[in-house]
Structure formats: C-alpha cells, structure tokens
Amino acid sequence: MARPGPILIVDDEESIRKSLEGVLSDEGYSCVLASNGADALSRLESLRPSLVILDIWMPGMDGIETLRRMKDLQPDTPVIMMSGHATISTAIKATKIGASDFIEKPLELDVVLNAIRRALGTQDADRSPAEGDLAGTLDLRSAEGMPELQPLVFRSQKMPGALIPQRTLAHSAVLYGQGLHSGRKSGLIFEPLGPDSGIHFVGVSDNRAVPAHLDFVESTGYATTIRLGTTHVATIEHVMSALNAYGVGNLLIKCNGEVPVLDGSSVEFCSLFEEIGFENQIGDWHGILVKEPVRIDAGKASIRLEPCDAFEIDYTLEYPAPVGKQHFVFRLDDPATYRKEIAPARTFGFARDIGQLQRQGLALGGRFDNFVLFGEEGPINDALRFPDEPVRHKIMDMIGDLYLLGRRLQARVVAHMTGHTQNISVLKKIRDLM
C-alpha cells in the first residue's frame, strides 16, 4: 500500500458495505465500515484511513456535507464518492470540494479497483472526472448545518378548522428513483423537523430551502414545481399527497431538482412512512375551514369548494374512449383508506401525446413501469390497478396540490376535468379569503 491505514467504507445500505468489504478484502485491503456520515467522522481521527469510499445519498448528514467536513479534518485523505442517483452537478460539486473520484452504482469491480488504485497512487490515472465533461447544470452549494427555513404556515393560521396534532417522521430516511419529466436519476432524503417548521425542499447540501407553499409555486404544466432563487423542485404532488394523508406538517426533503416518480403513484411513499413511523409534536395546527363556497371555472375544468366537516373530493373525469367518463368520491378520514383506495393509482397518459411531450422536454423518464399508457383500445403496458384508476390518480394529485397552504382543507371539493393549474388557482382564492 502506498499509504497506511484501512479503507473506510461509508454507506447507509448494509448490503453495499458488506459487498465492498468482501471484494476489497479479497484484494488485500483492510476495511472499516460506517453506516452514516456522523459515524464516519467520529472514526476519522483514530483510524487515519488511507482512503474513504463515501455514498452521497444518506439520511442525516448526506455525503456531500460529510465530504466537506472530512476535508476540513483531514484534507490529504483521498475520498471516492459513489452514487447511483446523482446528477452531474453533484459530481461537479464533489470534485470541487476535493473528491478524488466519482463512481456510479451499481458498482463494477474493475471500476472500483481502478478508482482505488488511482486514489492511492498505485497506478496512473486513466480516467478522472473532468469538470468540462460534467458542465452544463447548476452547481450545488454546501451549507453549514440546517438550511434557513420559512415557517409561513405557523405565522398566521387564519380560517382555523379542526385542531390536528403536529407531526413529523420518526427519523431520517432515503428513497431512490428517477424523475418522470427530467429522466434523471434522483432521490430523496427525508429529515424530521421540529414543531412550527412546515415542509421544505432543499438541494443536497444546499443552504436555501424552498417552502412547500403556494407562495413559491413556479409552474403547473404537467406537474407542480416550486422555486426559491436557484432552488427548484418539480413534480412534488405525489409526495405532498402522501404527507397530507398521513398528517405530516414538519419535514425537510432533500432532492436533486425533481421528486422521483417511483411507480407513478404515491404508494411507495406510504410504505416508507409507515416503515419509519411518525412523531407527534406539541403545538397548535388547524385545518383550513372553508365557510363559504369558492369556485373557479376554466373552460371544461371547474372546481367548487363547499363547507364540510372533513376533506372530501368528488371528481369527474371525461376523456375520449378508452378512458371515458369516470367519477369517484373520496373522503380523507384515515391514511389506511388513502393507501388502499388512492395511493396505488398511477400517472397516466396517451400514446398519441408522448411524442409531443418529449419534444417539449417532458416525460423523458417515462418508462413502461412508472405510468399507465393508454392506446386506442386501452392500457398497452400494464393492467389497471382499478377500473377507474385515472380518476383516482387525479384525486391523488389534488390531495397533494391542495396541501400547499401547509394545512389540510376542511371542505367538500367538487371538481371536473381539473389539473395542477386549477388546483393552484382555487388555493389562491382561499388565500385571498384569509
């Protein structure tokens, strides 16, 4: 070895840590394992590792922030970053901070070993991440500690409805996937927040968080996108829908530009939330009580809000065959019913529209396993999960969009052929009443 000390492998996935350890041990390297950034930093001084192999997407302290702190403590220790869900801008950031190399998952043995040899100086560098090859996307900035938050929801809770316990997730978690419209590999890191914080999105190791709030909605074309300065996050409606259903109102979500589409529904978010659990918090949090009718009309699309003792959506959808006219009524009383009746409903589209969407730079991540594609005779890529799956998906989207005032509506919503634009428009009318 060119340097003394073991190789420190840092990854939140035990299978990755163990696999790397086995492979590297066979090659004569000694290894030490860490499951998160904090654990790795605590071991750094005593270990004096010859090399660190560090995952980017980890709960708690993500890999970019861990890298920055490692370089502060031991600037000469080489660090190889790895991820299967990083954007090019993340690789640029890692190399600027001091990463010696960047490798993609799923890991290939020869690639890993060559990267290690280059980092340790035991072979000539035949490949290095050149910034010129990675340029063309926004840079990610590292931050000190928690990003600045804007708890808009808790500054004034007008039109107070039922009192609901504040809630966050029990602990951090990571979820991987791919953006539906960007087509890029993506992922989410969920971080619990304290009471009176609200829901915020932030780039990996960024220092500018954008609230999941109506005031920051940038666009609603085919998906709901929020923005604050250079921080923008697209396709937030599915995760917001699940958060609304489970009553989570305080959360930090780290994301690389677009929420992953997963299977086109919100059911995987439900599974993750139930797996890691919730923490109820002290503090007042009221629903939004609609006391008078509110209505918007936009051609064939319309939404009418009526006073109600709960949150109920009555949705009618009308498309040409094979979808036809569909009608469904859903009352959001408990997460279990949402998970069973609404969460599995997937994004849908029509074969005749795909070419036009992709020419507009949309649906680039659409695959046969993350949305329902309708041809002239019916779905052409998979069986429907419900006979009326499209209308249920519209309700799922609406539950997410209508959560962008940070509180659950207490109203009956009667909707016809609406999308994200109309959902946001009716929220603006409610905001004007506050």
Side-chain angles (χ1 to χ4, degrees), residues 316-333:
T316 302
L317 176 151
E318 291 185 79
Y319 282 108
V323 174
K325 183 174 182 178
Q326 299 182 6
H327 174 251
F328 196 78
V329 179
F330 179 75
R331 187 181 180 99
L332 186 56
D333 286 326

Side-chain angles (χ1 to χ4, degrees), residues 37-75:
D39 185 21
L41 290 172
S42 69
R43 294 168 176 259
L44 200 63
E45 188 62 32
S46 60
L47 283 175
R48 302 297 301 181
S50 60
L51 171 68
V52 178
I53 301 178
L54 175 62
D55 187 37
I56 284 184
W57 289 94
M58 298 187 297
M61 187 188 308
D62 62 72
I64 296 290
E65 179 64 13
T66 303
L67 170 65
R68 187 193 63 77
R69 297 192 185 189
M70 283 182 169
K71 286 300 176 179
D72 287 342
L73 293 171
Q74 293 185 13

Side-chain angles (χ1 to χ4, degrees), residues 89 137-143 147-150 199-213 215-219 224-236 252-259:
S89 59
T137 56
L138 292 173
D139 193 11
L140 295 177
R141 299 166 295 151
S142 66
E148 181 181 353
L149 305 179
Q150 298 188 50
I199 298 171
H200 291 72
F201 289 82
V202 67
V204 177
S205 289
D206 205 348
N207 60 5
R208 175 172 288 182
V210 53
H213 193 276
D215 292 352
F216 296 88
V217 172
E218 177 189 47
S219 65
T224 300
T225 300
I226 54 176
R227 176 183 289 274
L228 175 59
T230 59
T231 302
H232 78 284
V233 184
T235 322
I236 65 171
L252 182 67
I253 305 173
K254 295 183 178 181
C255 177
N256 268 335
E258 185 179 12
V259 174

Side-chain angles (χ1 to χ4, degrees), residues 21-155:
E21 181 186 32
V23 167
L24 297 185
S25 295
D26 289 343
E27 295 292 324
Y29 297 101
S30 63
C31 301
V32 175
L33 311 183
S35 61
N36 56 62
D39 185 21
L41 290 172
S42 69
R43 294 168 176 259
L44 200 63
E45 188 62 32
S46 60
L47 283 175
R48 302 297 301 181
S50 60
L51 171 68
V52 178
I53 301 178
L54 175 62
D55 187 37
I56 284 184
W57 289 94
M58 298 187 297
M61 187 188 308
D62 62 72
I64 296 290
E65 179 64 13
T66 303
L67 170 65
R68 187 193 63 77
R69 297 192 185 189
M70 283 182 169
K71 286 300 176 179
D72 287 342
L73 293 171
Q74 293 185 13
D76 294 332
T77 301
V79 180
I80 296 172
M81 305 299 293
M82 59 179 176
S83 177
H85 304 270
T87 63
I88 295 173
S89 59
T90 311
I92 294 174
K93 184 61 183 179
T95 56
K96 284 182 177 179
I97 294 174
S100 61
D101 215 328
F102 193 100
I103 56 178
E104 287 190 310
K105 297 178 180 176
L107 301 175
E108 297 181 21
L109 177 58
D110 289 344
V111 172
V112 173
L113 294 178
N114 284 335
I116 290 172
R117 291 169 188 142
R118 284 193 299 271
L120 296 176
T122 55
Q123 77 171 39
D124 293 334
D126 56 4
R127 183 187 62 86
S128 61
E131 185 171 327
D133 295 335
L134 300 173
T137 56
L138 292 173
D139 193 11
L140 295 177
R141 299 166 295 151
S142 66
E144 290 283 352
M146 180 65 65
E148 181 181 353
L149 305 179
Q150 298 188 50
L152 306 176
V153 175
F154 298 96
R155 290 175 183 167

